[in-house]
Amino acid sequence: MNPVFIGLGLLVGFLVGLTGVGGGALMTPSLIFLGVEPLTAVGTDLLYATITRVFGVFFHQRKGKIRYDIALRLFAGSVPAVVLGGIILREIDREVLNDYLTVLLGIILVASAVLSLLKGEINIPIKPRWAYVYLLGFVVGLTVQFTSVGAGVIVSFTLMNVARIDPRDVVGVTIFYGLALSALSFLNYASVGSVDYSLAILLVLGAIPGVYLGTHVNRSADRGKLKKAINIIILLIGLFTLMSG
């Protein structure tokens, strides 16, 4: 039992419980940095994210703050993206995917972190339509399929700035949609043997107390400052990932 991975699960779980963002953006690059193959890092993170989000959905459902109408439309848009991703995983050489995956991950991290840091300061003048929600689901679905990053930061940013959704509803939508998307995407990686189950268990063992602790600390912390801090960390990780790629 490697305590490093339990500690990583604890740290990421704590930060997610504390700020509500950054799970995939921190976990996948951290696993790659610790020597895990990029494809396996993404697949393992998707399983980790699925298990931890089950708890998140449970708590938000008890508060009645999940808008399933939005979440299910996002997921419907993501289904064809996940199918497309599964085809690509089987048809393209594994070494080629690993080479480009690191660079793609870095780009997504930098872009999503910048969007989050700008959130609340810009307002995109686009008239809200349901068609855009399906399109957003497709784009994010394809992004998550290959990097495990995007469901939280990108969806939250877009729903608040484009769809004008109440921020209090966005968190529940993001968690439920993220659960459905990570579970479906995980199946693609499981089918090609790119999931380390023993590693995922270690991460979850650390994540459960981490999320619990982060949630409690969150009650007395300045959430805005914490989100800004975590997104700066994501930005730095993204830049480091790009340089290493």
Side-chain angles (χ1 to χ4, degrees):
M1 181 175 292
N2 192 331
V4 173
F5 292 113
I6 296 179
L8 177 61
L10 178 68
L11 175 61
V12 174
F14 175 75
L15 292 173
V16 171
L18 193 62
T19 67
V21 298
L26 291 172
M27 182 59 75
T28 298
S30 296
L31 290 176
I32 294 174
F33 179 75
L34 291 172
V36 179
E37 179 197 34
L39 279 177
T40 302
V42 175
T44 303
D45 182 31
L46 287 169
L47 175 57
Y48 161 83
T50 299
I51 296 173
T52 54
R53 280 170 179 156
V54 168
F55 294 97
V57 168
F58 173 73
F59 289 119
H60 278 274
Q61 176 61 43
R62 291 181 64 183
K63 296 178 181 179
K65 291 185 178 180
I66 298 180
R67 286 197 55 180
Y68 291 103
D69 58 331
I70 300 173
L72 291 175
R73 282 179 169 88
L74 283 168
F75 182 65
S78 297
V79 171
V82 174
V83 172
L84 176 61
I87 295 173
I88 293 174
L89 281 174
R90 291 169 178 79
E91 296 299 324
I92 298 181
D93 182 78
R94 191 183 189 92
E95 292 300 321
V96 174
L97 281 175
N98 279 325
D99 289 341
Y100 285 99
L101 189 59
T102 302
V103 176
L104 177 61
L105 175 61
I107 293 172
I108 296 300
L109 289 174
V110 171
S112 59
V114 170
L115 286 177
S116 287
L117 290 170
L118 290 174
K119 186 169 60 180
E121 298 176 9
I122 62 175
N123 189 32
I124 302 175
I126 299 177
K127 185 177 180 180
R129 290 178 180 170
W130 282 120
Y132 296 151
V133 177
Y134 291 107
L135 178 60
L136 174 63
F138 180 85
V139 173
V140 174
L142 202 57
T143 301
V144 171
Q145 179 64 31
F146 291 105
T147 68
S148 79
V149 176
V153 176
I154 298 175
V155 168
S156 296
F157 172 83
T158 308
L159 289 181
M160 284 188 286
N161 290 278
V162 179
R164 310 332 193 241
I165 303 299
D166 188 330
R168 291 172 297 182
D169 295 328
V170 169
V171 177
V173 169
T174 301
I175 292 178
F176 180 78
Y177 165 63
L179 168 61
L181 180 56
S182 61
L184 186 61
S185 299
F186 155 73
L187 295 177
N188 273 338
Y189 282 82
S191 69
V192 295
S194 292
V195 179
D196 188 329
Y197 295 96
S198 59
L199 174 56
I201 291 173
L202 293 179
L203 295 173
V204 171
L205 286 175
I208 294 175
V211 171
Y212 178 82
L213 179 61
T215 300
H216 280 269
V217 174
N218 173 269
R219 295 175 182 176
S220 59
D222 186 320
R223 191 180 185 89
K225 291 181 179 178
L226 287 170
K227 282 195 173 185
K228 182 172 289 187
I230 193 64
N231 282 302
I232 290 174
I233 294 173
I234 293 171
L235 177 61
L236 293 175
I237 291 175
L239 291 172
F240 177 80
T241 303
L242 279 175
M243 289 186 292
S244 65

